[in-house]
Amino acid sequence: RRLSLSHHHHRDRKSEPTPRRQTYRRAERPSVGRRSKRHANPCSLHPLKTDFIRRRCGCEVVSAKSSNMSESIYTAAAAAAGACAALLAVGFVVEKRFASAVAKAAKEVEASAADRAAQDMALQSYYEGGLRPHRRNADDLMMGSGRALAQELRGCFEGINEVGRGVVYFGSARFLPGSALYEKGRALAKDVAELLKVPAWSGGGKGMMGAVTQGGKEGGQPVGAIRISREASDVPGKAPPGNNPLHATTVFCQFMASRKMGLTDAGMRVKETDRTAFVALPGGIGTLDETVEILVLQQLNKLGTNYEVPVILMNYQGYWDGFMKWLESSEKFGALKRAEISALKICNTNEEAVKFLAEFYKIKQ
């Protein structure tokens, strides 16, 4: 305005008063040029942008022409606040669950470590021997521990590796030295040791097991024993070499399962040249259990060897006649096929058993 007045000096300011400046609201401002088109409706969008928002966000674009601008802004703000609150709630729940899972895992690891430490202490107290003021609690812990079973199996395998595999004998511990059955068992173990020249294995106790120990040593072969601990002085695991006056190695077990597995492994034929066998001398329920287990493993092809291992029943004075009748009855009713236990051999005398083993392993006498 000043520029215009400077160039027009002939105008009189008093005669021509300056008109009052016009003010307009934004919506009433006259539409002039590109600026007015752009700001005529600030809430309106290009049709392409509107369609894009509708397809991507799944919502409608509200124009100022159809609704109040403040109302639409408040609605959008409320929706955004709700979405943020929902996301925060979900994040809080996820974080809480994750934290609880981490805490639970930490507790389990801590409990496992404590349990392992307690088991290690119990194992150490067992293997070291001596006074154990908490013997009863340690016994309860060991009897329920799979790690104790693994320790006993390790002892069995170590003893077998030291002595070697051979002939495994099952028999009763109640036949006293000097009895007819005891003397026959001792003579058989001596003859078999001289024939096969392999170690003898047994339960290492008294009775027929003692007869096997004596006969095996008389035959010039080492004798291994896997015993069941019955006394407080028996420490589970392989006993030191200096504490074996009768056996080349002695392994004490608290579990019958580890003892059975150890004796089964002692009679395995790893190579075709191995000479092993399972011999069932007269015995009771334990002897019957051990013998039948070997037959079951052979029947199911679970013995763990690719070579046949003979199983001999020493039928002294018809001792196993009842068992043979049961096998015949089982086969008659279809519960058993004799071909499934083809490795079973019934021998009435020691001479018959030695001859069978010599023929089986093709040994010239």
Side-chain angles (χ1 to χ4, degrees):
R1 183 175 180 79
R2 289 179 180 178
L3 287 176
S4 62
L5 292 175
S6 63
H7 290 287
H8 301 279
H9 300 285
H10 61 281
R11 292 187 177 180
D12 188 3
R13 295 182 181 178
K14 295 182 180 180
S15 61
E16 296 183 5
T18 304
R20 187 177 182 179
R21 190 172 184 175
Q22 298 290 332
T23 57
Y24 303 94
R25 288 184 299 174
R26 191 168 187 175
E28 300 176 356
R29 187 171 296 176
S31 299
V32 179
R34 298 177 59 184
R35 177 179 176 85
S36 61
K37 292 182 180 179
R38 184 171 57 189
H39 295 283
N41 188 4
C43 294
S44 63
L45 296 176
H46 194 276
L48 294 179
K49 295 182 179 180
T50 304
D51 184 64
F52 174 79
I53 294 175
R54 183 184 298 109
R55 285 186 287 106
R56 293 297 299 269
C57 303
C59 61
E60 296 293 336
V61 178
V62 180
S63 177
K65 295 180 179 180
S66 58
S67 62
N68 191 0
M69 182 188 304
S70 60
E71 192 176 318
S72 62
I73 293 175
Y74 292 152
T75 303
C84 292
L87 290 175
L88 290 175
V90 171
F92 177 76
V93 172
V94 172
E95 183 179 0
K96 186 176 181 180
R97 291 183 179 179
F98 179 76
S100 62
V102 171
K104 183 178 179 181
K107 289 182 180 179
E108 292 178 356
V109 171
E110 183 179 359
S112 177
D115 182 61
R116 182 175 290 247
Q119 292 177 3
D120 290 339
M121 292 179 61
L123 285 172
Q124 184 177 2
S125 66
Y126 264 100
Y127 284 98
E128 289 181 355
L131 296 177
R132 292 184 284 270
H134 302 291
R135 170 81 190 219
R136 185 177 183 83
N137 294 336
D139 286 348
D140 295 339
L141 177 62
M142 292 293 295
M143 294 301 292
S145 173
R147 298 181 68 235
L149 180 62
Q151 291 285 353
E152 294 179 3
L153 287 175
R154 182 182 300 175
C156 292
F157 295 150
E158 290 177 356
I160 294 170
N161 290 333
E162 291 178 4
V163 179
R165 293 176 172 84
V167 180
V168 180
Y169 294 87
F170 305 130
S172 174
R174 299 184 178 183
F175 296 116
L176 300 177
S179 63
L181 294 178
Y182 183 96
E183 295 301 326
K184 289 182 179 181
R186 181 191 60 79
L188 176 64
K190 177 178 179 296
D191 295 340
V192 172
E194 293 176 349
L195 174 68
L196 300 182
K197 301 187 184 306
V198 295
W201 284 89
S202 71
K206 302 177 182 179
M208 301 303 286
M209 294 176 286
V212 170
T213 300
Q214 184 180 356
K217 295 181 66 175
E218 292 176 358
Q221 298 299 323
V223 180
I226 302 180
R227 306 188 59 177
I228 284 292
S229 300
R230 289 189 174 183
E231 302 176 0
S233 59
D234 296 337
V235 180
K238 189 174 73 67
N243 297 340
N244 295 296
L246 297 177
H247 306 102
T249 184
T250 302
V251 182
F252 290 96
C253 299
Q254 290 284 345
F255 298 94
M256 287 294 296
S258 56
R259 179 176 181 267
K260 287 183 177 180
M261 293 179 67
L263 290 175
T264 301
D265 186 78
M268 289 297 94
R269 291 182 65 190
V270 179
K271 300 178 294 184
E272 188 177 3
T273 56
D274 292 341
R275 298 173 178 177
T276 64
F278 295 97
V279 179
L281 299 169
I285 296 176
T287 303
L288 179 63
D289 174 46
E290 294 168 333
T291 305
V292 170
E293 182 173 3
I294 298 298
L295 295 177
V296 170
L297 293 175
Q298 287 188 341
Q299 181 187 27
L300 301 177
N301 295 323
K302 297 291 186 180
L303 196 55
T305 177
N306 295 326
Y307 307 101
E308 186 177 7
V309 181
V311 180
I312 302 175
L313 287 180
M314 298 307 301
N315 195 27
Y316 299 139
Q317 303 174 10
Y319 190 91
W320 292 103
D321 285 346
F323 180 71
M324 296 306 301
K325 290 182 179 180
W326 175 78
L327 291 178
E328 294 174 359
S329 177
S330 299
E331 186 178 10
K332 178 181 177 181
F333 283 92
L336 175 68
K337 294 181 180 179
R338 192 58 183 269
E340 296 173 344
I341 52 174
S342 58
L344 179 63
K345 176 67 177 178
I346 308 299
C347 297
N348 297 318
T349 62
N350 291 347
E351 294 75 15
E352 186 179 354
V354 172
K355 181 180 179 180
F356 168 74
L357 288 174
E359 294 176 353
F360 186 88
Y361 287 109
K362 300 178 182 181
I363 302 174
K364 295 182 180 180
Q365 293 180 295

